[in-house]
Amino acid sequence: MSDNKYLDAINASKVTEDDAAVTAAVQKILDEHEAENHTQDIYKFLFNTIDLTTLESTDSPESVARFTEAVNEFEEQYPELPNVAAICVYPNFAQVVRAVLGVSSVDIACVAGGFPSSQTFEEVKIAETALAVEGGADEIDIVLNLGYFLDGDYEGVCDEISELKEATRDGRLKVILETGALKTAANIKKASILSMYSGADFLKTSTGKGYPGASLDAAYVMMQCIKEYHEQTGIKIGFKAAGGVSDTKTAVQYYTLAKEILGEEWLTNEYFRIGASRLANRLLGDILGHEVKHF
């Protein structure tokens, strides 16, 4: 596909690029609908959308095994509650999680492709992705090549995503836009469209490393792009908020946007995720009515 075809797809989009209009639209949705979504059932649903994440330099086979055991133990201690959606780790720990995880409903997600900067050889990104899948990953989270994007090399951006999608084989590919670096609605819109047309199964806001994390304004633009793409192609793309989503109120706000923009059919952990480490205990505390430190 030529650069012209990418530009045609971007130019054909009706999604707003007006930052002030986005902020106003988000506020209107929250003012009208957020309060109704602070319910126990929605808190339980949100818990079931968490990609429980550890992405630290100090991660080790032992610490990741303990992290995974906490998910196994949750199943035993709280059988009446849904578990998290996935465990998200660095790619070299996919085999550790696969060996320890005893809960069939929880997927294994790995960051790959030179996370979090996406600055390495494409061959290395492909190899890392393939090795993560071979090690047991069901889902791969990669970062869009911001350097290519900001240079206007849309063909380079899209070719790389397509290659990495192929390397995930039957797994699902989440493309991280790093919206805190893209900053504007116009950039976020372009990056969303390019990612979807290149094979992304999910659009994800942020790495949580080095740039501002998820924002409601960015989510609004991404969701509008997902909605438009679905109307044009019939293909449903997932949405994942990540980076700083650490309390119940914020999680409910992302849920509210998804419900009002994308509709009920997106309110499943197949199409809606939150990447988090601290959120799990806080949501669990709000569900149970007392402080919890399970994870």
Side-chain angles (χ1 to χ4, degrees):
M1 190 183 278
S2 71
D3 270 352
N4 286 339
K5 290 188 180 177
Y6 297 125
L7 289 171
D8 287 346
I10 291 167
N11 292 335
S13 173
K14 302 289 195 297
V15 174
T16 183
E17 298 183 4
D18 183 328
D19 293 303
V22 169
T23 300
V26 168
Q27 195 58 54
K28 185 173 189 292
I29 290 172
L30 296 181
D31 288 345
E32 294 177 358
H33 299 287
E34 181 189 345
E36 70 201 41
N37 293 325
H38 283 278
T39 70
Q40 290 293 301
D41 284 345
I42 290 173
Y43 295 169
K44 290 175 185 176
F45 166 76
L46 287 168
F47 188 85
N48 187 227
T49 70
I50 291 174
D51 283 359
L52 193 68
T53 302
T54 181
L55 296 170
E56 302 297 334
S57 299
T58 51
D59 288 344
S60 69
E62 190 175 314
S63 73
V64 170
R66 286 197 305 270
F67 187 76
T68 307
E69 280 290 6
V71 173
N72 292 340
E73 290 163 7
F74 178 87
E75 194 85 352
E76 297 163 14
Q77 290 183 28
Y78 304 99
E80 75 283 6
L81 295 178
N83 214 317
V84 296
I87 295 174
C88 184
V89 295
Y90 279 114
N92 45 311
F93 296 119
Q95 288 179 302
V96 174
V97 180
R98 179 59 72 199
V100 176
L101 184 62
V103 185
S104 60
S105 64
V106 177
D107 285 336
I108 300 171
C110 287
V111 296
F115 179 94
S117 67
S118 193
Q119 297 289 13
T120 188
F121 300 101
E122 187 172 312
E123 294 84 353
V124 172
K125 295 180 183 183
I126 292 166
E128 187 178 50
T129 299
L131 286 167
V133 171
E134 188 178 320
D138 305 297
E139 304 172 356
I140 297 293
D141 294 32
I142 64 159
V143 183
L144 175 138
N145 193 317
L146 290 167
Y148 285 174
F149 178 85
L150 294 171
D151 275 355
D153 182 5
Y154 297 154
E155 189 168 9
V157 170
C158 295
D159 285 350
E160 188 168 279
I161 292 171
S162 297
E163 291 281 353
L164 292 171
K165 170 61 179 172
E166 192 171 327
T168 63
R169 296 192 287 232
D170 296 328
R172 294 203 290 174
L173 182 69
K174 305 189 193 97
V175 177
I176 305 166
L177 306 187
E178 199 68 291
T179 56
L182 294 177
K183 297 179 181 176
T184 66
N187 277 340
I188 293 165
K189 169 184 168 178
K190 290 174 188 172
S192 297
I193 292 167
L194 295 175
S195 298
M196 291 187 293
Y197 275 97
S198 303
D201 298 300
F202 258 80
L203 298 183
K204 177 178 169 181
T205 59
S206 321
T207 63
K209 308 280 187 184
Y211 291 97
S215 76
L216 293 163
D217 284 12
Y220 177 90
V221 176
M222 293 163 70
M223 289 178 189
Q224 291 289 358
C225 289
I226 289 169
K227 179 181 180 181
E228 183 180 69
Y229 185 77
H230 178 249
E231 289 169 351
Q232 292 170 348
T233 67
I235 299 169
K236 289 169 71 175
I237 305 295
F239 169 82
K240 177 176 172 180
V245 185
S246 59
D247 60 77
T248 299
K249 179 178 175 61
T250 306
V252 168
Q253 290 176 332
Y254 284 101
Y255 171 94
T256 302
L257 290 187
K259 182 180 178 183
E260 297 307 318
I261 296 168
L262 295 170
E264 296 278 352
E265 60 186 302
W266 261 264
L267 300 181
T268 156
N269 71 9
E270 189 177 354
Y271 295 109
F272 182 88
R273 295 282 181 88
I274 299 174
S277 51
R278 292 169 291 173
L279 177 64
N281 283 334
R282 291 174 181 174
L283 259 177
L284 195 53
D286 286 334
I287 291 166
L288 299 173
H290 58 81
E291 187 177 3
V292 178
K293 293 183 177 178
H294 181 86
F295 296 102

